[in-house]
Amino acid sequence: MADQVGAVLAAAGWRMWPTARDTLLYTSPNGLCGAEWTRASCSFELGDIPVAWQISARSHLDSTLPEWNAYFTAGAPTRP
């Protein structure tokens, strides 16, 4: 799933770099949206479910906190 989503984001102009938390962080071209892929070795859980992707957005570049987050598990479908 990480390779498929990462390829789509890169094709759309998103930048990616690894973080110190052993994740891959992507940012949108305008800097308002982010997507972070969490490796299984460093995952966090919501309830009992490990999170694979965290997607966030903010409406202003000067805002440090996202206005919303969405979390996806490794079991999320990648195709309809």
Side-chain angles (χ1 to χ4, degrees):
M1 180 168 71
D3 291 337
Q4 291 172 335
V5 173
V8 170
L9 293 175
W14 289 48
R15 295 177 299 146
M16 184 276 295
W17 61 91
T19 70
R21 296 184 319 164
D22 201 26
T23 67
L24 298 177
L25 180 63
Y26 294 82
T27 57
S28 64
N30 66 6
L32 294 176
C33 298
E36 188 170 12
W37 176 69
T38 305
R39 299 172 197 248
S41 62
C42 189
S43 68
F44 72 94
E45 295 183 351
L46 290 176
D48 294 338
I49 303 170
V51 171
W53 281 96
Q54 175 182 349
I55 312 297
S56 60
R58 56 193 175 144
S59 59
H60 304 286
L61 286 174
D62 57 351
S63 174
T64 57
L65 296 174
E67 293 178 14
W68 63 263
N69 289 299
Y71 301 93
F72 297 90
T73 65
T78 57
R79 295 184 185 178

